[in-house]
């Protein structure tokens, strides 16, 4: 829902003869463009000045971009480009674009333009981006509604009972690494039923809302034009998936590998060492993942990543015990720690039954593998053994 770079080169001056359109750009194969993009086209019918304003400009090379993005302090900007340049970018990437010409009167057009130009002033361009609540789609929605004094009537008969996570998965699809990562990071708030207004964070839903809206006795959308069609190879790239590289398959393989190593290690020290190497790597990977989740949950300002029940089983302290399981004198500490992990998994199952946070299918082999590691490191979890 953004552009990596933009060229702000337009001389932003207009007459009082305007046409305003909503531009909806399709999703692309890369993660940052997977949810589409929205822009507002302002065409001066007298001078021919043709500018697209869009709230999706960010720079990867900005200082501490990744850290600030993770923390929820991502600053996006309102960009302005000539219409031809804007369309050319999407044509080059093989993506689709649709234009909806809005049926606004002169006063409403001027109010919308004034709001956009005020937002475009250097001191106002930058805003604190929020994926769900303040982005390239919600900004046009709010501006157009405000310019009409909120007199737009929306026919919501097409609106479904759907969650934010459902909407995300329509674009990410299932059983891939993007969906898996989002499932880990985004907490239960995204699994609650959305209101009509909350659904406007996705450009496609904003476009549908405008198509089903009226302003007084006239439809909000006067004309609709398909400016670009998505190239077939791009569409195939978006929906293409490889089951053998999917998280489900990879994690089931890991679980099977653990079981095989466990069986081979019973009477063979070499295999026992290999099993311990596996456990160390697994603990290190889950611990590093836990560091990210705990950062998101307790430090990040993103509105939908706190109260994440995945924090109950992905513990950052796994990093320490990835090394500590090799220390003979730490056996008692290890047994206590892996009992705590096992209890955390039980608590995760109980809490999830209450908050109903989405469980990605790929979590299941991971959780089973973790339970097996807990049982291996603390056999008393399965049976009571007298010394």
């Amino acid at each position: 829902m953004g552009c990596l770079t933009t060229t702000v080169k337009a001389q932003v001056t207009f007459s009082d003869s305007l046409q305003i359109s909503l531009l909806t750009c399709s999703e692309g194969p890369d993660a940052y463009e997977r949810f589409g993009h929205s822009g507002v086209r302002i065409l001066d019918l007298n001078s021919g000045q043709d500018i697209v304003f869009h709230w999706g400009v960010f720079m990867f090379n900005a200082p501490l971009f990744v850290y600030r993005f993770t923390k929820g302090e991502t600053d996006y900007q309102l960009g302005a480009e000539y219409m031809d340049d804007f369309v050319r970018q999407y044509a080059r990437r093989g993506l689709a674009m649709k234009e909806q010409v809005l049926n606004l009167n002169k006063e409403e057009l001027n109010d919308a333009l004034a709001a956009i130009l005020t937002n475009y002033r250097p001191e106002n361009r930058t805003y604190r981006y929020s994926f769900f609540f303040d982005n390239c789609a919600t900004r046009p929605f709010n501006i157009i509604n405000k310019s009409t004094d909120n007199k737009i009537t929306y026919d919501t008969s097409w609106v479904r009972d759907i969650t934010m996570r459902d909407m995300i998965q329509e674009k990410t699809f299932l059983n891939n690494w993007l969906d898996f990562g989002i499932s880990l990071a985004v907490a239960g708030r995204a699994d609650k039923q959305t209101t009509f207004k909350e659904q406007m964070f996705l450009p496609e839903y904003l476009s549908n809302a405008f198509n089903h809206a009226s302003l007084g006795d006239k439809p909000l959308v006067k004309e609709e034009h398909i400016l670009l069609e998505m190239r077939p190879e791009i569409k195939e790239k978006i929906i293409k998936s490889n089951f053998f590289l999917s998280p489900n398959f990879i994690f089931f393989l890991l679980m099977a590998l653990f079981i095989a190593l466990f069986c081979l290690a019973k009477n063979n020290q070499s295999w026992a060492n290999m099993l311990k190497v596996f456990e160390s790597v697994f603990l290190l990977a889950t611990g590093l993942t836990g560091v990210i989740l705990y950062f998101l949950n307790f430090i990040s300002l993103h509105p939908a990543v706190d109260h994440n029940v995945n924090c109950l089983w992905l513990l950052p302290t796994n990093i320490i015990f990835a090394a500590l399981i090799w220390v003979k004198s730490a056996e008692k500490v290890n047994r206590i720690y892996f009992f705590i992990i096992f209890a955390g998994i039980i608590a995760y199952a109980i809490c999830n039954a209450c908050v109903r946070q989405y469980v990605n299918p790929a979590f299941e082999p991971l959780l089973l593998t973790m339970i097996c590691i807990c049982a291996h490191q603390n056999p008393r979890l399965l049976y009571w053994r007298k010394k």
Side-chain angles (χ1 to χ4, degrees), residues 209-275:
F210 278 14
N211 268 338
H212 292 82
S214 58
L215 184 56
D217 58 354
K218 59 186 179 183
L220 177 61
V221 176
K222 180 167 55 177
E223 302 172 16
E224 182 172 303
H225 310 290
I226 302 300
L227 304 180
L228 295 172
E229 297 276 5
M230 182 180 290
R231 291 206 302 263
E233 66 271 20
I234 299 298
K235 186 172 183 178
E236 182 180 353
K237 190 175 180 180
I238 292 173
I239 64 176
K240 184 179 180 180
S241 63
N242 187 332
F243 174 75
F244 297 105
L245 295 177
S246 67
N248 292 26
F249 183 76
I250 296 296
F251 294 143
F252 269 110
L253 274 185
L254 288 177
M255 185 177 67
L257 177 60
F258 175 87
I259 294 171
L261 289 173
F262 179 80
C263 294
L264 292 169
K266 286 184 177 180
N267 301 307
N268 187 299
Q269 187 59 41
S270 296
W271 286 113
N273 290 336
M274 287 293 295
L275 176 61

Side-chain angles (χ1 to χ4, degrees), residues 266-292:
K266 286 184 177 180
N267 301 307
N268 187 299
Q269 187 59 41
S270 296
W271 286 113
N273 290 336
M274 287 293 295
L275 176 61
K276 193 166 287 190
V277 169
F278 177 97
E279 292 175 331
S280 288
V281 173
F282 189 88
L283 289 170
L284 179 62
T286 54
L288 291 173
T289 305
V291 169
I292 297 173

Side-chain angles (χ1 to χ4, degrees), residues 302-361:
H302 285 296
V305 296
D306 55 341
H307 299 92
N308 190 340
V309 295
N310 290 322
C311 289
L312 291 171
W313 66 280
L314 285 166
L315 305 181
T317 46
N318 286 0
I319 296 173
I320 299 172
F321 284 85
L324 210 57
I325 62 173
W326 293 90
V327 180
K328 187 75 174 176
S329 60
E331 284 186 355
K332 185 175 181 179
V333 174
N334 287 337
R335 286 199 301 270
I336 294 172
Y337 180 73
F338 285 98
F339 175 80
I340 292 172
I341 292 182
F342 182 78
I345 293 174
I346 299 300
Y348 167 75
I350 294 172
C351 289
N352 230 355
C354 298
V355 302
R356 298 188 180 278
Q357 181 174 316
Y358 173 71
V359 179
N360 190 292

